[in-house]
Amino acid sequence: MNQRQLDLPWMLGEADITEVECKEEAALHALKRGELHVHMNGAIPTSTIREILADEGTSLPQGFDLQRDLVRLTPCRSLAEYLTPWQILRLFPNKRANLDRLTLSVFGILAENQVSFVELRSSLLYLAMLQGCSPAEALERLIESTGEAARHNGIRRGLILTVTRGDYSAVGLATLLQAFEDLGRPKEVVGLDLAGDEEMSYPTELPSMFRDAKDRFGLGITIHAGETGRAENVRSAVDLFDADRIGHGTAAGKDPRLLELLAERRICVEVCPISNRLTGAVPRDETHPLQEFRRHGVPFVICSDNPAIHQHGLADDHAAAMAEGLSICDMQQQYEIAKRYSFMERLI
């Protein structure tokens, strides 16, 4: 694969397209895919965002330019810069009809990328606040809306509820779990995610709350860790939170003992090649740790993270993984790996 096929000149080389690469591209395009790390608000097509903002009369934050700030196409100077689009993405949908509109567009893009099952991440408490309803009502709406969009596109889906790091993360998790219980522990909710600034502290009781939710409800645990360069965050995700999967985990590639731990415990890393370059998790002048994961026997699955923000879908992330050194054979194994490490055992 090369930059002309992906239009990512900041990541890929200048080689001409060969006949072999053309055949690989065709094989790659035909692959059936599973998606284990995608954020719903980062997967909404920009055209849909503009429609919803206009319909709801949303005022843009001062200095925010939709043309400039809604997408991220070149590497950012920091994770904070990369997250600029969320100044807008946290402001909608206020209307139930627009929730349905955005979920339908998200699943349409997933279908275009040959995704047959997806674990979709959502910040439920934002949705409850925006729609002026209880967390349980917001969860019910999310289940209904994503379920209809998934059926319409022939995709199976599970929901992962996201908690944001910070002083109130334990309160947020308790609120999410109460909503989950109030709805009778719906089978559509398959996991919990911890996201946000890795440098931010969290309440000491938070890890035990995650472990308890895993034990009581059978929910899978995935933790954003090692995206901002701190390998110890990956180790904490494993030792303290009992994580089943690690979101990004790029910093682990420089720690052989940590790689051995991940391999020994069969903890899957959710690798997002395009996102990792755009956020600076993997700097321009460094190789991606994908090859280190493979050498050490660490299971990994290729994911898209925030495909609409990047203007590239999961198929492009698979192509980007090949540009980082993986083979078409590696990509052909990805569907089964995604199934193996999915939290959706009852839904696939």
Side-chain angles (χ1 to χ4, degrees):
M1 291 296 159
N2 63 47
Q3 71 179 51
R4 294 179 188 174
Q5 292 161 285
L6 268 182
D7 191 26
L8 299 176
W10 41 267
M11 187 177 73
L12 307 179
E14 292 281 355
D16 292 331
I17 300 173
T18 67
E19 182 178 351
V20 171
E21 287 173 325
C22 286
K23 290 180 179 178
E24 287 181 345
E25 181 184 12
L28 193 62
H29 180 73
L31 292 179
K32 186 165 58 173
R33 296 182 172 90
E35 170 67 274
L36 301 188
H37 186 130
V38 59
H39 298 273
M40 187 167 78
N41 57 6
I44 308 166
T46 54
S47 58
T48 303
I49 293 174
R50 291 173 181 272
E51 291 170 3
I52 294 175
L53 292 176
D55 180 65
E56 297 186 350
T58 305
S59 298
L60 302 184
Q62 186 174 5
F64 191 97
D65 182 275
L66 280 177
Q67 190 67 29
R68 180 193 65 210
D69 297 328
L70 193 54
V71 296
R72 286 290 173 260
L73 304 179
T74 57
C76 298
R77 291 168 293 183
S78 66
L79 184 59
E81 180 184 340
Y82 171 83
L83 294 174
T84 299
W86 273 260
Q87 294 179 25
I88 287 294
L89 297 175
R90 294 192 181 104
L91 300 181
F92 68 91
N94 294 297
K95 299 179 181 179
R96 169 61 193 269
N98 283 333
L99 173 62
D100 295 338
R101 177 187 290 186
L102 74 84
T103 55
L104 194 60
S105 65
V106 166
F107 277 87
I109 297 299
L110 291 170
E112 288 178 10
N113 282 265
Q114 304 287 101
V115 173
S116 64
F117 69 91
V118 60
E119 294 181 1
L120 194 63
R121 300 177 191 221
S122 177
S123 298
L124 184 69
L125 298 184
Y126 276 111
L127 181 62
M129 178 182 64
L130 289 167
Q131 303 219 334
C133 63
S134 71
E137 289 171 324
L139 179 55
E140 187 172 37
R141 293 179 188 183
L142 185 64
I143 290 172
E144 292 174 354
S145 187
T146 57
E148 179 60 32
R151 285 189 293 273
H152 180 80
N153 286 281
I155 297 173
R156 297 185 180 182
R157 68 84 178 84
L159 298 175
I160 294 179
L161 304 183
T162 296
V163 178
T164 303
R165 284 181 175 85
D167 293 341
Y168 299 100
S169 52
V171 174
L173 177 56
T175 303
L176 291 177
L177 293 175
Q178 186 60 57
F180 175 70
E181 291 215 76
D182 289 345
L183 284 188
R185 304 181 183 183
K187 68 182 185 303
E188 293 85 355
V189 177
V190 298
L192 296 172
D193 169 38
L194 181 65
D197 185 351
E198 289 185 51
E199 305 305 315
M200 189 172 290
S201 62
Y202 51 77
T204 56
E205 68 270 24
L206 188 66
S208 64
M209 292 176 67
F210 268 82
R211 296 195 308 270
D212 182 62
K214 181 176 180 176
D215 292 340
R216 290 178 60 200
F217 307 129
L219 296 173
I221 303 298
T222 175
I223 306 291
H224 279 69
E227 185 180 13
T228 54
R230 293 171 58 84
E232 56 263 41
N233 290 344
V234 178
R235 189 174 295 277
S236 294
V238 174
D239 292 339
L240 300 182
F241 288 85
D242 196 19
D244 302 291
R245 301 199 311 250
I246 300 294
H248 302 291
T250 53
K254 298 180 179 180
D255 187 333
R257 293 181 64 185
L258 182 54
L259 289 170
E260 291 173 7
L261 175 67
L262 295 174
E264 178 184 341
R265 299 197 187 180
R266 308 308 296 163
I267 295 171
C268 184
V269 179
E270 303 155 354
V271 176
C272 308
I274 294 176
S275 174
N276 293 160
R277 293 294 186 180
L278 291 172
T279 63
V282 181
R284 183 192 300 262
D285 59 349
E286 293 185 10
T287 58
H288 198 285
L290 270 171
Q291 296 287 16
E292 289 299 313
F293 294 153
R294 185 167 63 172
R295 272 193 287 271
H296 284 81
V298 176
F300 62 84
V301 62
I302 303 300
C303 307
S304 66
D305 200 16
N306 299 298
I309 299 304
H310 309 155
Q311 303 285 281
H312 289 93
L314 182 57
D316 294 318
D317 275 280
H318 278 216
M322 290 180 65
E324 300 282 6
L326 299 188
S327 69
I328 187 64
C329 292
D330 292 323
M331 294 301 98
Q332 289 167 338
Q333 296 171 10
Q334 276 291 300
Y335 183 72
E336 292 302 321
I337 293 173
K339 284 177 62 176
R340 184 182 309 163
Y341 290 96
S342 171
F343 301 150
M344 296 171 56
E345 293 181 6
R346 294 169 295 173
L347 302 179
I348 296 178

